[in-house]
Amino acid sequence: MKKETKYWKIDKIKDDHKIAMEEAAQLIKDQEVVAFPTETVYGLGADATNEQAVAKIFVAKGRPSDNPLIVHVADEHQIEQYVTSIPDIARNLIKAFMPGPLTIILKSNGKIAKNVTAGLDTVAVRIPDHPIALELLRSANLPLAAPSANVSGKPSPTKADHVFHDLNGKIAGIVDGGATGVGLESTVIDCTSEIPVILRPGGITIEDLKQVIGEVMLDPALTKTEDQPKAPGMKYNHYQPDAPLWLINGDANFFQDQINQLVEAGKKVGVMGSVELKSEIQAKMIISCGTRQDLKDIAIHLYDTLRAFKQTDVDIILCETFVETGVGQAIMNRLNKAATRKITQD
Ligand code: TXA
Ligand code: MG
């Protein structure tokens, strides 16, 4: 059944936008789902204490029900209301990185709806660093369960247009606050073990985390493909553009060879990569996602670029690989998941 999706365009929260924010908050209180910007990607929010409201998120996205959601709150005090306790390490993380692109997993006290945590005894929480997200949280005065506001399997939305494309007619509203900042989702860190474990690399890097809490582990599933990841969502296909994506790990000559072979075989090839790659190779369709000199720039444009191929008729997308330092780790995590094949130069 098609729904009417309300759309509010908001540049900055000025007085004339307060009404829009109140309307959006009222829909949330009425157990509807509303998409809103955060500093990472757009989220699809519903009252995290209400099972019926949360169920609508899973339906709209086509999301598997065993994949738990992140609970968004406005401040540390609100985190305390949904967990059994906050260990010192988690307190330090909250102090250093929240509001910001970090999600911490803590033991749940059971006050969050069961379908948010997919039956786990833990809950993922974060405080988004975005004025619109914070305003919505305060106006609704509720914790918001919010996954990325895309159809499951597609790249996460970094612009309201992306949300509109995927979810118009399926959700109650979209708050358009322009492009998001970080471009990739939050880092998810499990604080229920003695040494915290990174389940998903993201906006806050391992280097940043180590500076604050010292020892941090990486979920082994992030580096090996055989292991079952601890964040249930990490096992699904993700971030996939409309044409198959192949990752090409090699120099510019090697990249050019791959293009040529496919073109000779009659394929329409699209290339995704840095401005540097664009200047080194030749192809009919190249979309650049930033400069190798600044991985944060690549992160900001990554999903938008993956989606940009939708407007083309390419059969296949070839993409370069990036160094896995800083936010490069999160970039390569997403690209590895989006890719159907990887070709490495000998
Ligand atoms: O930046 C973000 O985190 C965005 C914005 C909207 O806040 N949200 C986001 O949500 O990326 P989503 O649902 O697309 O990803 C949540 C991830 C999934 O991999 C999920 O499995 C994991 O967090 N997760 C949630 N609760 C968990 C829990 N209790 N234990 C382990 N992993 C959990
Ligand atoms: Mg997602």
Side-chain angles (χ1 to χ4, degrees), residues 38 40-43 61 63 67-70 72 103 105 120 122-124 126 146-148 184-186 188 199-200 230-234:
T38 80
T40 57
V41 300
Y42 273 75
K61 281 188 60 116
R63 179 172 173 118
N67 189 4
L69 308 176
I70 296 172
H72 297 63
T103 294
I105 312 263
L120 298 172
T122 54
V123 60
R126 90 176 192 92
S148 48
L184 297 178
E185 300 83 350
S186 61
V188 178
L199 307 186
R200 177 177 74 180
K230 252 193 104 189
M234 299 294 280

Side-chain angles (χ1 to χ4, degrees), residues 7 19 27 76 86 88 96 127 137 146 169 178 182 209 219 228 266 279 295 316:
Y7 196 99
I19 294 168
L27 284 173
E76 183 169 351
I86 304 184
D88 287 347
I127 305 173
L137 284 164
V182 178
L209 292 166
D219 183 355
Q228 183 74 264
S279 70
L295 291 174
I316 196 154

Side-chain angles (χ1 to χ4, degrees), residues 29-148:
K29 289 193 229 171
D30 292 342
Q31 307 182 9
E32 292 295 336
V33 292
V34 172
F36 61 95
T38 80
E39 82 282 30
T40 57
V41 300
Y42 273 75
L44 185 59
D47 175 358
T49 62
N50 185 301
E51 209 163 325
Q52 278 93 23
V54 171
K56 292 181 184 170
I57 295 179
F58 287 90
V59 173
K61 281 188 60 116
R63 179 172 173 118
S65 61
D66 68 345
N67 189 4
L69 308 176
I70 296 172
V71 176
H72 297 63
V73 295
D75 54 42
E76 183 169 351
H77 174 65
Q78 229 185 340
I79 296 179
E80 287 163 1
Q81 294 174 31
Y82 302 105
V83 301
T84 54
S85 67
I86 304 184
D88 287 347
I89 287 185
R91 289 260 179 222
N92 291 340
L93 287 173
I94 294 169
K95 206 176 285 157
F97 301 113
M98 291 195 197
L102 184 72
T103 294
I104 54 174
I105 312 263
L106 296 168
K107 285 268 181 235
S108 166
N109 65 6
K111 288 194 181 148
I112 288 293
K114 281 197 184 62
N115 50 353
V116 171
T117 55
L120 298 172
D121 63 353
T122 54
V123 60
V125 282
R126 90 176 192 92
I127 305 173
D129 188 14
H130 193 292
I132 293 177
L134 289 170
E135 174 81 19
L136 187 62
L137 284 164
R138 288 191 192 111
S139 300
N141 196 23
L142 288 166
L144 292 185
S148 48

